[in-house]
Amino acid sequence: MTTVPFRMPSLGADMEEGKLVEWMIEPGQHVAHGDIVAVVETVKGAVEIEVFEDAEVKRLLVALGETVEVGTPIAELDVEGAPEPEAAPAAERPAPAAERPAPAPAAPPAAAPTAAAPAAAARVSPAARAAARERGVDLSAVTGSGPGGAIVLGDVEAAVAEARPEVSPLEALRQAIGQSMARSKREIPHYYLAHHIDVTPATEWLAATNEGREPDRRLLLGALFVKAVAVAARANPNLNGHYEGAFKPSEAVHVGVAVALRGGGLTAPAIHDADTLDLDETMARMRDLIGRARAGRLRASEMADPTITVTSLGDRGVEAMTAVIMPPQVAIVAFGTPLVRPFVHDGAVVPRTVVSVTLSADHRVSDGRLGSRFLSAVEASLAKPEEL
Amino acid sequence: MTRDEAMAVLAEEYGAIAPDVDFAEVDPKGDVREAFEIDSMDFLNLVTALSKRLGIAIPEADYPELTTLDDAATYLAAKG
């Protein structure tokens, strides 16, 4: 039996810390892979944290109401046959920030311009330096609390907190979105491809399918969009995965679905293995996911796992949208509102329901040719909805 | 079911989906999707809830009858 730390997970590039609001476990309790062990409040609402191994809970390290950075050990688990932990021995407090894994947002490429360059001579942890660059903190004005006066991540966070006034949850959410999107636009060389797709076959098939169904079994066009993107992502792996120093294509297709939150802001949790689901399953997952996103009961894996994202303006928006990639993903697909347009069909201009689809993709990983093939695959799927 | 009873049901069901909107302040002749800021999934959930609660069929073809609160109350009263 080996004691291993259970850490505050990163639930997306825009998460730096989480507040422990509920423990679902207690010392001595056995937990199994997939069990929900805690609820953490983030700027995007409460998130259920899962454990990914069978273990016995040894100790809880973080009290309710305490806010800790991503990567901080929040509990200790006794695991059968696990390797020795790299962190501090179980009896010690959590490792200082400088020794913790850097949170996801704090990893710009080494060649990026360094706003914190004047303080380069001071002892500064890599995570603190990255965070300072990310958030525009002048390190020469920060007092270090680490060994020998070194500036650690917590010092930068404290400087940021001191500098900013109290903000409302919505303002905090908007700031988090802003930071994440700014990082995306700064680091990811986006390219964009747009296409108009005749979705008349899909809408007609949908109407016929839904006609005899009770409301709770009806499908929405959005479910077809998600499945069509999942199928296209499966066929084009360079648009499906994560870029963290280098691109790692994902063997699974976990489609993030952008969900508008009441009161403002959005989140994009994953529908896992979306390429393997039929449309009824896809719709059921979307319904569940959207409901829990708005109720603030998403799970950590749903926040962290998307390998490609779909965002849609629904049936009441405008014609087209161009989206910003959500790091560390490398592609996002934006659907405008389906509109009845004059369209050439079978050699004649006739009214057809047309949707604008825009792919935003990462030029470090793919180019327009592959992106074009991807959108063509989406179009082909939507032309034959009965096969999705 | 009377129109008033139907309106009371609508108030409860919209309250569950859009608790931040004051039902009494919503224009009964305005577009409910705009007033309650709901999307197609919310609307489907509303139709599901109304159908189950009142035991009535609400086919997709009838969705335009639910565009405003006034229209919806009339529709539900006629169905119930």
Side-chain angles (χ1 to χ4, degrees), chain A residues 205 219 223-224 227 277-284 385-386 388:
Chain A
W205 178 85
L219 302 173
L224 276 65
K227 182 66 192 293
L277 306 176
D278 66 26
L279 285 174
D280 286 326
E281 292 168 331
T282 305
M283 182 66 192
E386 68 280 3
L388 275 173

Side-chain angles (χ1 to χ4, degrees), chain A residues 209-219 287, chain B residues 44 47-48 51-52 55-58 63:
Chain A
T209 301
N210 285 342
E211 193 172 3
R213 292 184 171 206
E214 293 296 317
D216 59 354
R217 292 196 56 247
R218 287 176 194 161
L219 302 173
R287 208 169 189 159
Chain B
L44 181 55
V47 169
T48 302
S51 179
K52 283 187 174 171
I56 59 174
I58 306 177
Y63 284 1

Side-chain angles (χ1 to χ4, degrees), chain A residues 207 210 215-216 218 220 262 283 286-287 290 294 315-316, chain B residues 18 20 31 33 36-37 39 42 45 48 52 58 60 63:
Chain A
N210 285 342
D216 59 354
R218 287 176 194 161
L220 292 174
R262 291 203 70 81
M283 182 66 192
M286 282 178 65
R287 208 169 189 159
I290 292 171
R294 290 178 177 156
D315 59 355
R316 290 294 187 93
Chain B
D20 50 324
D31 187 313
R33 297 274 300 271
F36 291 99
E37 295 184 30
D39 60 17
D42 289 325
N45 286 334
T48 302
K52 283 187 174 171
I58 306 177
E60 277 191 327
Y63 284 1

Side-chain angles (χ1 to χ4, degrees), chain A residues 6-29:
Chain A
F6 180 74
R7 299 175 186 276
M8 174 67 72
S10 172
L11 309 177
D14 50 359
M15 176 174 170
E16 298 180 351
E17 61 187 21
K19 179 180 178 183
L20 204 292
V21 294
E22 189 175 357
W23 277 115
M24 316 290 275
I25 53 173
E26 56 188 13
Q29 184 177 338

